[in-house]
Amino acid sequence: MGGGDCDVETLNGAHEPDNSKEVIKSKINYCEHHGENGAIVKPSGAEGGEDQNIEHVFDVSIVLPHQPYNIQIPVSLQGQIQDLRSAIVEQPGTFQYTCFHLEHSGQRINDFTDLSDVKGLTAGSEIRLIEDPYTEREARMHVVRIREIIGAAGNRVDVLNGVDAGLSLHESVAPWNGPDAGSAAKQKSANSKLTADANPLSDFRFDGLVSIQTLLPPSQEAPPRTIKALGISPWNPPPPMFRQRGHLLYLQLTTNEGEQFQITSHVSGFFVNRSSNSKFDPVPKASPKNAMAHSLLTLIQTLSPSFSDAFNILLEANNRRDPLATFQLTSAIPSNPWLVSASSFAATAHQPDLTRTQETYLLSGVENTETLRDWNEEIQSTRELPRETVQDRVFRERLLAKIFAEFNDAAARGGALVARGEVAPLNPTESKDAQIFVYNGIFYSFGADGVGTFTSDGGDEAARIAVGKDVAGVKMVNQLDIPGLATPGTIIVDYLGKRLVAQSIVPGIFKQREPEEPQVDYGGVEGKDVVADNDAFVPTFSQVSKALKVKKHAVWDKEGKKHVLEGSVETKGLLGTDGRKYILDLYRLTPLDISWLDAYWTDSIDRDQKPLERNYPHRMSVLRPELIESYWRVKMSEYVKAELDERKKDQKDVVDGEISDQPDHKSSGETGDAQVNGTSGAETNGLETAKDRGRVDISAFSLSLNPDVFCGQVPQTAEEKEEWANDEREVRAVTDHLHQKIIPEFIHDLKEQEVGFPMDGQSLSRLMHKRGINVRYIGKLASLSKEGSPRLQALKRLAEQEMIARAFKHVANRYLKNLPTAMAPSCVAHLLNCLLGTGRNGSPKAQLDEDLQYLYKDADYSFADATPQSLQTDIEAQAQLRYRYTLEESWLSGVRRAQFLREIALKLGLQLIAKDYCSSPESESRPSDLAPMTNGSATQSPINGHATNGNGGKKKKKRNNGDSPPASATASMILEPPQTFVADDIVNIVPIVKDSNSKSVLAEEALEAGRISMMQNQKELGQELLLESLSLHEQIYGILHPEVARVYHQLAMLYYTIEEKDAAVELAHKAVVISERTIGIDSDETILSYLNLSLFEHANGNTAVALACQRHALELWKIIYGPDHPDIMTTYNNAAVMLQHLKLFHESRVWFEKSHAVSEEMCGKDSISTASLAFQLAQALALDQDHKGAVNRMREAYSIFHHKLGADDRNTKEADSWLDQLTVNAVSIAKHAKDVQAQKVRRALFTPRVTLRTQPQAPVGRSSTEGMNGRVPHSTDGLDNRSIDELMKYIESSGDATRKTPTKKRKNPRGRRAGSSL
């Protein structure tokens, strides 16, 4: 294993208009030229399989009515006509076409058929493009498209998406323009420019000072203006007499030359009319301004002499950018950065655009009827599409993903309007919490107990939790995808302290039934007092219960009548007026966490009368489904073991039996079935060694839980009571499993480096949920980590930070809930001042606008009374109440301010102006605070500049220019306000959305199969399956989606392991961009993507870009966690390896020393990890001519290896050999110190290099190689077996640090030309 190799930081693995996987496999390469929704019609070229007969790709000739008159488009018969249309209109020479049809051999082609349906279509066939007459809708769409293409649309103000939504920093960090961008010559030239004083890591600070410039995009030149304005004319719409003549719209164009033209949109095209601002005459203008064209783009080119040149410059500027960084996100809600540059929202950035107010009309028409949709009918009818064949499933799942993405977008926008009070309620006479709304065909209600449903369970607190659990339940049922069972589209919107649940309207849910007729058809009608039975729901509900391990059980109504239900009594079945069976209220699919309720809950309704130790705010504490699954696997293993033991005892000859598993237990990413059927898993290795040892029939095994135990049900007979008692014992056994196994294993795995350490609160919560641990146990995790190793101390600090941030969120929501929108920034700023701004002002005062106070007399302004002391008390109380954790008295002094501010912003949806919030008298010495920001002037206020990240160079200096604060911020600079946060610092507050979208079952099946194949070392099959999974992910989700980013990431790692480095680099770049835009520019997944991209670039010889990625990832790491993350030593080590490749030995030594120091602190001085790093450090010291230090470090490594692994271990022997060589070398050097040939002697005697491969950077919650090749994640058996003589060439080489290996001619799966194959 060579010293130049760096290991991979791995990551857990996220409406295109076509349904061909062959088309989709080439989509990324195509999109670099055409856009996300442009679908070139060409196949992947993957060999073998059932698709061989449809892989043929050929070019067809498109005959155009105007220049360039003819273009060639590669197509596949598997594609659709819509894909071909999209490919045509996205070509640079055919932008102007939107209203047309295609003809082949004189016959019109139906736009909604497949290419295979076109008779006689072969290579070289001519397809003629025929311009069609416009309709009003097509004319409006044409105007919208032309405005977008020529850059006249201007900036948009979005209710849902915040400032810089979907931002990507990739182009400024690691620019990449395609597979050929990193040619060997360019790489060597770039690497040769890196010196000790000029490389991306030269001035990196290992302390915790954070540069927020890392999160800000560089200043960019404004795109050229092609026209001054294009919009709807004041004369629009056409009067009846002219509409009869074919007039559709009236437009107004102002060119860069200052001329204004009134344009008529006619059924035949567009022409200049004789109207003016004061006179209406829409007939064609006489010569010389009698221009007319079928396309508005062509007409503008005719009217404006400067347009063509400006338009070409605009196209060139757009082509220089990464297409993935500029495409509009359509299949996922873009991420919103929590810090934004002043230039992104300053008044100067908002340009006048009258047509911006007309876009609703252009998109939806006069009556706005084109956007009104029956969401429920669309969702349910799509679910009912055929699913027999793979193509059917792909088409169905793609359409479902598209509809859910559109529903989520519309529901989130409507939810924000409802929260702001801009939608009238259907029941205005009810209390605020009980009000319901319908907007854009979506039903809204507040997540509060407005009608007293949850009075005995905790009131508003219980209702808030219930709607969250309901969305999670809908997501689980959606994932099961049971035919005949319908769920409404459901999301949660948290905005301005309010929680709203948005649902598609179920037909019949508002229907008034007869007095004696129950409002629902199955389950509890009014709690558990009235229960409805309906045999029609039993078959479908039983499938849900079986899959989710819910026991069929009896419940009793208020009259003592027995009802046998397939699910919880709270889960309801409703027969809609459309005849479909709907399942509703899925917040209790799993049993209550009785151990938690026994300890911290009492049934007293009056909270003030509850004892402090029993005052948990609600009774909706349910167990996580991941815990149920874990318990099921344990019981299954016990059953199999017991059966085998019994068989061995009773029989000498084992009779072969067939193992049959329960198909409903199988789910993506779980291995319960594999452990049973013997295909994998340590627990069943003994079952598969020999056939005569037999197999176990598990059809008799059953485990299901009663979700209604401990919920007040009263069994009537002795038999029922006994069964109920057994059900209660089983649930208590699950909670014991949580406390005795799951939580201790969680602590152990993090302590012993078995899995990647979480980076922030989100990754910690995600990891807990994956293990089946509810976030309410985060206080217990912190308590168990108090007296542990440094890694556990880090877990304690992270858990405390998460508890404090969540507690602050609850306090802030309480204040925001009853505030008008205009007062929200003042509230948030004051609360932040009370918590983080006391260093500048110990007694902050709220900034209240008296005029607004007068207008909103009924608002609750109690936030203004909050003080630093009262806020700290509230936070301490919330931490104790919700997490049963007592914060230390000095907890605030231990808070990492920059990281804590980020956590708060992400939880509340805040977007803050990028400036220094944490530099204060009490925090100047904090290692994790934001670094003071400068722009080169000592007298400049921090708000007017940006923190320099120390990278140096012209490029970095350019990034610091051009940003200016808003007027209010400028005023604050002059007045030097005594408070850290002001209302103007809160640039925006965006909704937090939680959806119920399920993952694609088909794509997940292929992905899981690929993972298993790779773990079983079946690389060829695994590669094929992973490629198929990527194709399915792209096809179903669209390219810009987090699930696609995760698959890109995993496939990039696969190519890296099989030495397809160019392909790995290409996919890794795309994974970074998509992760930034959909997950977050500073999310833990984005950081890991950057780290892996760095390693791939280094392996590919492009160390300059690799070091830039390392620097960016490390700066992000400091922002979200701090400088001392337990797993950061791996990244330090990899950086050292890269520097050593560049022959920067002293700089490399510094990074090796830092990595070794972190290992000593986190893992202990006598750990295997520390010994491995000491081994590498010894070699680095020798290369830096510190031979005495090298001997000492190698001796330390040898001692640890000898003590931990024994004298016979290969690591010990290797260290011993190196120690002997280093010792001899050091003695020889000392003897020849005065010899004029001393340098030659040294070079002849010692030529070491890094020989130990660095430990892989594990993703959060997973081992570093999990899911790839099944290697032991923390093997130390990685020392180089070569002798020192074999390494002599390293020092004596010409200085090119990049080890060159023969490159195989590869065929890039994401960069294929037409007809290529993998």
Side-chain angles (χ1 to χ4, degrees):
M1 204 176 299
D5 294 332
C6 298
D7 283 305
V8 181
E9 282 92 346
T10 56
L11 180 65
N12 185 15
H15 60 265
E16 298 294 331
D18 57 80
N19 64 349
S20 166
K21 75 175 191 299
E22 287 72 31
V23 174
I24 296 298
K25 281 185 178 179
S26 61
K27 189 64 62 70
I28 295 180
N29 186 50
Y30 173 81
C31 283
E32 292 179 354
H33 307 285
H34 302 281
E36 182 188 7
N37 292 323
I40 192 167
V41 192
K42 63 180 182 180
S44 67
E47 298 177 0
E50 61 183 6
D51 298 324
Q52 269 187 324
N53 59 334
I54 56 173
E55 290 288 343
H56 183 52
V57 178
F58 54 89
D59 286 346
V60 296
S61 178
I62 309 298
V63 180
L64 307 172
H66 310 289
Q67 287 185 348
Y69 299 114
N70 192 293
I71 59 174
Q72 300 293 315
I73 299 289
V75 300
S76 164
L77 292 179
Q78 187 65 14
Q80 295 180 323
I81 299 300
Q82 285 290 342
D83 305 329
L84 180 58
R85 288 178 61 95
S86 297
I88 292 172
V89 300
E90 295 292 350
Q91 295 283 346
T94 53
F95 281 146
Q96 68 268 32
Y97 299 109
T98 63
C99 185
F100 63 89
H101 72 268
L102 301 174
E103 291 184 358
H104 176 63
S105 301
Q107 298 295 317
R108 178 166 181 157
I109 302 175
N110 190 319
D111 291 340
F112 301 98
T113 60
D114 294 334
L115 282 166
S116 58
D117 296 333
V118 181
K119 296 181 179 179
L121 187 64
T122 59
S125 294
E126 284 192 353
I127 297 180
R128 189 170 297 275
L129 186 149
I130 307 298
E131 294 174 332
D132 284 339
Y134 287 96
T135 63
E136 183 197 333
R137 181 181 183 280
E138 288 169 333
R140 287 189 280 107
M141 294 301 103
H142 184 81
V143 172
V144 171
R145 174 171 169 76
I146 296 303
R147 276 173 47 85
E148 292 283 355
I149 290 174
I150 66 177
N155 63 307
R156 287 187 171 89
V157 179
D158 200 325
V159 176
L160 175 61
N161 302 324
V163 181
D164 287 338
L167 174 67
S168 172
L169 302 176
H170 170 265
E171 291 177 295
S172 62
V173 176
W176 186 80
N177 300 312
D180 301 325
S183 64
K186 291 181 180 179
Q187 293 168 0
K188 184 173 181 179
S189 174
N191 292 344
S192 65
K193 296 178 182 179
L194 301 180
T195 65
D197 297 325
N199 68 77
L201 299 179
S202 58
D203 55 354
F204 179 79
R205 298 184 60 171
F206 290 104
D207 58 24
L209 289 177
V210 172
S211 171
I212 59 175
Q213 181 68 21
T214 306
L215 298 177
L216 304 181
S219 300
Q220 294 182 351
E221 297 181 2
R225 297 193 63 178
T226 55
I227 59 173
K228 287 187 176 180
L230 173 63
I232 302 298
S233 168
W235 299 114
N236 196 68
M241 62 176 295
F242 287 103
R243 182 169 293 280
Q244 298 299 320
R245 301 182 189 179
H247 292 202
L248 304 174
L249 301 171
Y250 296 135
L251 308 175
Q252 185 170 293
L253 168 70
T254 305
T255 66
N256 283 342
E257 291 78 11
E259 290 188 89
Q260 187 179 87
F261 297 93
Q262 298 286 337
I263 297 175
T264 296
S265 171
H266 191 263
V267 292
S268 62
F270 297 82
F271 61 82
V272 178
N273 63 42
R274 293 193 289 191
S275 297
S276 66
N277 289 335
S278 58
K279 184 185 71 172
F280 178 65
D281 189 2
V283 299
K285 198 169 187 176
S287 179
K289 297 294 184 180
N290 59 342
M292 179 176 180
H294 187 268
S295 171
L296 182 58
L297 181 65
T298 306
L299 180 63
I300 296 174
Q301 289 175 326
T302 304
L303 297 177
S304 175
S306 65
F307 174 82
S308 293
D309 291 339
F311 185 50
N312 288 333
I313 295 174
L314 176 65
L315 291 179
E316 291 175 2
N318 291 337
N319 289 337
R320 286 194 296 269
R321 297 205 60 193
D322 187 338
L324 290 179
T326 57
F327 293 160
Q328 183 179 0
L329 277 80
T330 57
S331 56
I333 295 177
S335 65
N336 296 291
W338 64 279
L339 283 180
V340 293
S341 171
S343 61
S344 298
F345 62 89
T348 55
H350 192 60
Q351 299 297 320
D353 181 13
L354 182 62
T355 314
R356 185 164 46 219
T357 62
Q358 304 168 346
E359 283 189 343
T360 301
Y361 159 70
L362 287 172
L363 295 172
S364 308
V366 176
E367 303 296 333
N368 197 31
T369 56
E370 295 175 19
T371 59
L372 295 179
R373 302 168 64 175
D374 187 341
W375 294 105
N376 190 76
E377 181 59 31
E378 287 189 45
I379 292 172
Q380 310 310 333
S381 59
T382 303
R383 282 202 179 110
E384 293 165 355
L385 289 174
R387 59 177 90 181
E388 282 74 22
T389 67
V390 173
Q391 283 298 91
D392 287 343
R393 293 178 66 186
V394 171
F395 178 78
R396 176 178 176 273
E397 292 189 4
R398 186 184 70 239
L399 193 54
L400 269 176
K402 176 179 182 293
I403 290 175
F404 274 121
E406 293 170 353
F407 171 80
N408 294 345
D409 184 84
R413 294 178 189 278
L417 294 176
V418 171
R420 292 164 61 175
E422 298 180 19
V423 178
L426 297 181
N427 52 342
T429 59
E430 301 286 345
S431 65
K432 250 187 176 181
D433 288 343
Q435 289 177 348
I436 57 176
F437 308 81
V438 172
Y439 180 80
N440 197 15
I442 301 171
F443 172 74
Y444 296 92
S445 60
F446 288 107
D449 192 24
V451 295
T453 303
F454 298 96
T455 301
S456 61
D457 293 326
D460 288 346
E461 287 280 359
R464 183 182 181 91
I465 297 298
V467 296
K469 298 295 183 184
D470 182 41
V471 169
V474 172
K475 190 168 191 172
M476 285 193 291
V477 173
N478 286 344
Q479 191 68 48
L480 297 175
D481 200 13
I482 296 172
L485 187 63
T487 58
T490 309
I491 71 165
I492 282 178
V493 180
D494 288 326
Y495 187 54
L496 298 176
K498 306 174 184 69
R499 168 164 286 190
L500 291 111
V501 57
Q503 294 178 304
S504 60
I505 300 175
V506 176
I509 197 169
F510 296 127
K511 177 184 176 182
Q512 292 295 328
R513 302 198 180 192
E514 298 297 328
E516 67 279 358
E517 188 180 6
Q519 292 298 309
V520 297
D521 299 288
Y522 190 78
V525 180
E526 300 173 1
K528 59 181 181 291
D529 293 338
V530 179
V531 181
D533 291 316
N534 191 326
D535 292 339
F537 285 86
V538 172
T540 51
F541 272 54
S542 64
Q543 295 181 59
V544 175
S545 299
K546 185 177 181 182
L548 300 179
K549 302 171 182 62
V550 175
K551 182 179 180 180
K552 183 177 181 179
H553 62 281
V555 296
W556 296 265
D557 58 23
K558 61 182 178 181
E559 298 177 353
K561 183 180 178 182
K562 180 179 178 180
H563 304 265
V564 178
L565 298 180
E566 287 287 350
S568 168
V569 70
E570 303 292 349
T571 303
K572 300 171 177 58
L574 177 68
L575 187 62
T577 55
D578 57 357
R580 298 185 177 101
K581 301 180 184 68
Y582 291 86
I583 184 170
L584 308 172
D585 292 350
L586 298 171
Y587 52 83
R588 270 246 310 273
L589 291 177
T590 58
L592 294 174
D593 185 355
I594 189 58
S595 64
W596 182 271
L597 295 177
D598 282 347
Y600 306 121
W601 168 263
T602 183
D603 289 330
S604 174
I605 296 178
D606 189 351
R607 181 174 297 175
D608 295 334
Q609 296 179 2
K610 294 184 177 183
L612 292 178
E613 66 275 9
R614 303 288 297 278
N615 65 341
Y616 193 66
H618 61 83
R619 200 176 186 273
M620 299 302 297
S621 305
V622 297
L623 299 172
R624 291 198 61 82
E626 296 90 344
L627 176 65
I628 307 298
E629 188 66 31
S630 172
Y631 182 74
W632 181 90
R633 290 198 296 268
V634 169
K635 301 302 289 185
M636 169 64 74
S637 299
E638 293 177 357
Y639 175 83
V640 172
K641 186 176 183 299
E643 286 292 310
L644 287 175
D645 292 343
E646 185 69 22
R647 186 175 300 176
K648 290 177 182 178
K649 183 186 300 183
D650 296 342
Q651 298 178 355
K652 294 181 180 180
D653 298 325
V654 179
V655 179
D656 289 343
E658 181 179 354
I659 297 179
S660 59
D661 200 358
Q662 300 180 21
D664 292 305
H665 292 310
K666 182 176 181 180
S667 61
S668 175
E670 296 170 355
T671 58
D673 53 342
Q675 291 175 335
V676 174
N677 61 29
T679 57
S680 65
E683 296 178 2
T684 59
N685 286 340
L687 301 180
E688 60 184 357
T689 55
K691 189 175 181 180
D692 60 358
R693 297 180 63 180
R695 297 184 178 183
V696 178
D697 183 359
I698 63 167
S699 59
F701 174 78
S702 175
L703 186 145
S704 55
L705 301 174
N706 184 344
D708 288 325
V709 294
F710 309 111
C711 293
Q713 292 291 332
V714 183
Q716 303 297 310
T717 67
E719 183 180 354
E720 293 169 349
K721 292 178 180 179
E722 181 179 357
E723 183 180 3
W724 201 261
N726 291 333
D727 291 344
E728 291 181 345
R729 279 193 293 272
E730 195 71 63
V731 171
R732 289 191 183 275
V734 177
T735 61
D736 291 342
H737 175 69
L738 171 65
H739 291 278
Q740 298 172 12
K741 182 176 175 62
I742 298 298
I743 293 178
E745 284 185 354
F746 181 88
I747 298 289
H748 174 270
D749 288 349
L750 290 177
K751 177 183 177 181
E752 300 299 329
Q753 299 176 267
E754 296 296 331
V755 296
F757 200 89
M759 296 184 184
D760 59 357
Q762 287 184 328
S763 57
L764 175 60
S765 301
R766 191 168 61 245
L767 176 56
M768 292 176 63
H769 287 165
K770 183 180 177 183
R771 293 294 188 95
I773 306 172
N774 301 84
V775 173
R776 59 177 171 270
Y777 285 104
I778 194 171
K780 182 172 184 177
L781 295 180
S783 299
L784 294 174
S785 304
K786 281 186 177 180
E787 304 297 332
S789 66
R791 287 179 67 88
L792 292 187
Q793 291 297 313
L795 175 61
K796 171 181 173 291
R797 187 195 63 75
L798 188 59
E800 286 183 343
Q801 176 179 286
E802 179 68 3
M803 283 187 283
I804 296 169
R806 286 174 176 264
F808 180 90
K809 178 191 72 173
H810 287 290
V811 174
N813 283 341
R814 187 179 71 223
Y815 288 125
L816 288 169
K817 183 178 181 181
N818 298 313
L819 269 182
T821 305
M823 299 299 292
S826 297
C827 173
V828 172
H830 179 62
L831 294 178
L832 290 175
N833 278 324
C834 289
L835 189 64
L836 299 177
T838 53
R840 178 172 295 181
N841 187 334
S843 302
K845 302 295 181 183
Q847 298 174 316
L848 295 176
D849 189 315
E850 294 182 358
D851 294 335
L852 290 178
Q853 280 187 283
Y854 179 78
L855 287 174
Y856 297 103
K857 295 180 181 179
D858 297 333
D860 180 7
Y861 298 102
S862 57
F863 75 90
D865 299 328
T867 65
Q869 294 74 26
S870 68
L871 181 59
Q872 291 180 37
T873 301
D874 285 345
I875 290 175
E876 292 168 1
Q878 287 292 323
Q880 176 63 37
L881 176 68
R882 297 178 185 278
Y883 311 112
R884 300 294 139 175
Y885 186 79
T886 303
L887 294 169
E888 300 174 358
E889 292 184 4
S890 58
W891 63 267
L892 185 57
S893 62
V895 167
R896 297 189 174 186
R897 304 165 75 86
Q899 291 76 22
F900 183 62
L901 179 60
R902 173 183 177 271
E903 293 286 357
I904 290 175
L906 293 179
K907 285 174 171 55
L908 292 176
L910 306 180
Q911 289 191 290
L912 309 173
I913 181 175
K915 69 175 187 179
D916 177 19
Y917 294 107
C918 299
S919 178
S920 62
E922 70 167 18
S923 63
E924 288 178 350
S925 62
R926 293 184 194 280
S928 60
D929 288 339
L930 296 176
M933 302 186 332
T934 63
N935 63 355
S937 174
T939 60
Q940 194 103 22
S941 173
I943 194 174
N944 197 33
H946 297 290
T948 58
N949 60 9
N951 286 350
K954 295 180 180 180
K955 181 176 179 181
K956 295 300 178 182
K957 291 180 180 179
K958 183 177 179 180
R959 290 181 64 175
N960 291 338
N961 296 332
D963 288 347
S964 58
S968 57
T970 306
S972 67
M973 288 189 298
I974 300 173
L975 299 176
E976 188 62 32
Q979 303 194 138
T980 303
F981 298 88
V982 295
D984 288 341
D985 292 334
I986 315 300
V987 176
N988 191 26
I989 302 178
V990 296
I992 306 297
V993 178
K994 300 177 183 178
D995 62 56
S996 59
N997 297 5
S998 59
K999 293 183 179 181
S1000 166
V1001 176
L1002 191 61
E1004 290 298 316
E1005 285 174 353
L1007 179 60
E1008 186 63 20
R1011 287 174 179 164
I1012 293 174
S1013 297
M1014 295 303 298
M1015 292 177 67
Q1016 295 175 345
N1017 208 29
Q1018 300 177 13
K1019 292 187 176 181
E1020 186 175 347
L1021 176 60
Q1023 179 182 354
E1024 182 179 346
L1025 289 170
L1026 289 175
L1027 276 174
E1028 182 67 18
S1029 174
L1030 174 59
S1031 169
L1032 292 170
H1033 275 85
E1034 291 173 348
Q1035 188 173 359
I1036 290 168
Y1037 295 115
I1039 295 173
L1040 295 176
H1041 193 280
E1043 294 297 326
V1044 176
R1046 294 176 182 122
V1047 177
Y1048 276 152
H1049 188 101
Q1050 295 182 38
L1051 199 56
M1053 290 189 294
L1054 165 67
Y1055 278 110
Y1056 178 75
T1057 59
I1058 62 176
E1059 298 298 321
E1060 291 282 0
K1061 296 175 182 177
D1062 288 338
V1065 167
E1066 187 175 349
L1067 291 172
H1069 275 282
K1070 299 179 190 303
V1072 165
V1073 177
I1074 301 173
S1075 295
E1076 285 184 320
R1077 300 196 65 197
T1078 60
I1079 305 174
I1081 58 173
D1082 58 351
S1083 70
D1084 62 299
E1085 295 185 41
T1086 299
I1087 292 175
L1088 289 168
S1089 294
Y1090 265 113
L1091 292 174
N1092 280 345
L1093 173 59
S1094 170
L1095 301 178
F1096 301 159
E1097 285 282 17
H1098 170 67
N1100 210 29
N1102 195 1
T1103 306
V1105 172
L1107 290 175
C1109 293
Q1110 285 274 344
R1111 174 65 180 261
H1112 186 70
L1114 288 169
E1115 294 288 358
L1116 290 177
W1117 213 333
K1118 287 198 293 185
I1119 289 173
I1120 76 169
Y1121 181 87
D1124 52 354
H1125 190 275
D1127 290 344
I1128 205 168
M1129 58 187 175
T1130 302
T1131 302
Y1132 287 163
N1133 196 78
N1134 289 340
V1137 170
M1138 295 177 190
L1139 292 169
Q1140 198 170 67
H1141 261 247
L1142 298 174
K1143 301 289 183 68
L1144 302 177
F1145 296 133
H1146 180 71
E1147 290 68 27
S1148 173
R1149 164 187 176 167
V1150 172
W1151 285 80
F1152 275 125
E1153 288 175 336
K1154 185 61 179 177
S1155 177
H1156 181 260
V1158 173
S1159 181
E1160 285 188 328
E1161 179 184 356
M1162 291 293 169
C1163 305
K1165 293 186 177 182
D1166 59 346
S1167 67
I1168 299 297
S1169 174
T1170 301
S1172 302
L1173 293 173
F1175 186 98
Q1176 288 181 287
L1177 177 56
Q1179 297 169 329
L1181 291 170
L1183 288 172
D1184 198 31
Q1185 306 304 318
D1186 185 355
H1187 302 284
K1188 182 179 178 181
V1191 171
N1192 292 334
R1193 289 301 184 188
M1194 190 60 71
R1195 184 177 292 114
E1196 291 177 12
Y1198 170 75
S1199 298
I1200 297 172
F1201 284 144
H1202 188 274
H1203 176 69
K1204 293 283 187 179
L1205 304 176
D1208 296 332
D1209 185 81
R1210 189 164 70 91
N1211 293 308
T1212 307
K1213 293 179 180 179
E1214 190 73 16
D1216 186 35
S1217 175
W1218 276 93
L1219 180 59
D1220 291 342
Q1221 294 283 351
L1222 289 171
T1223 303
V1224 171
N1225 185 71
V1227 172
S1228 299
I1229 289 174
K1231 289 180 179 180
H1232 297 81
K1234 296 181 181 180
D1235 196 311
V1236 293
Q1237 300 298 326
Q1239 179 65 25
K1240 294 181 180 179
V1241 172
R1242 282 196 295 272
R1243 293 180 63 182
L1245 289 176
F1246 181 70
T1247 55
R1249 62 172 292 177
V1250 176
T1251 60
L1252 182 66
R1253 190 181 180 100
T1254 55
Q1255 290 291 341
Q1257 176 74 58
V1260 175
R1262 299 186 71 191
S1263 62
S1264 56
T1265 55
E1266 182 180 341
M1268 291 303 300
N1269 54 17
R1271 292 181 298 172
V1272 178
H1274 290 285
S1275 172
T1276 59
D1277 193 22
L1279 301 182
D1280 200 329
N1281 291 324
R1282 292 173 291 180
S1283 66
I1284 292 180
D1285 291 337
E1286 292 175 316
L1287 301 174
M1288 289 179 62
K1289 294 181 181 179
Y1290 182 65
I1291 295 298
E1292 297 173 349
S1293 61
S1294 60
D1296 181 8
T1298 304
R1299 182 173 55 181
K1300 298 180 180 179
T1301 57
T1303 56
K1304 297 178 292 184
K1305 185 177 180 182
R1306 71 174 185 86
K1307 298 170 182 177
N1308 194 332
R1310 298 272 68 88
R1312 292 183 293 271
R1313 301 292 191 268
S1316 66
S1317 62
L1318 180 63

